[in-house]
Amino acid sequence: MSKVGQFLRESKAELKKVVWPSRDDVVSSLKVVIVSTVLIAVILGLLDFAFTEAFRVLMR
């Protein structure tokens, strides 16, 4: 149990050294993730639609 105990003590010590982001930083990052996800989804949706229509025209 000494290795497990040592691991847990060292993990706790390392977590105390972590600089956690502020709430504003987290909210700002979340906004960037949401906007970029929506933007990429729209672009991929448009590309999918364009390729589907192109193949539909070519296969007539």
Side-chain angles (χ1 to χ4, degrees), residues 29-42:
S29 296
L30 179 63
K31 288 177 185 177
V32 169
V33 168
I34 290 172
V35 168
S36 60
T37 301
V38 169
L39 185 63
I40 290 171
V42 168

Side-chain angles (χ1 to χ4, degrees), residues 3-53:
K3 288 199 181 234
V4 172
Q6 179 183 0
F7 171 76
L8 292 174
R9 283 190 301 278
E10 290 175 2
S11 296
K12 185 176 177 181
E14 288 299 317
L15 283 173
K16 288 182 180 180
K17 297 177 188 177
V18 173
V19 178
W20 298 101
S22 69
R23 180 177 176 87
D24 290 339
D25 290 340
V26 172
V27 170
S28 177
S29 296
L30 179 63
K31 288 177 185 177
V32 169
V33 168
I34 290 172
V35 168
S36 60
T37 301
V38 169
L39 185 63
I40 290 171
V42 168
I43 290 170
L44 288 175
L46 290 171
L47 285 171
D48 180 54
F49 177 76
F51 282 117
T52 300
E53 290 302 313

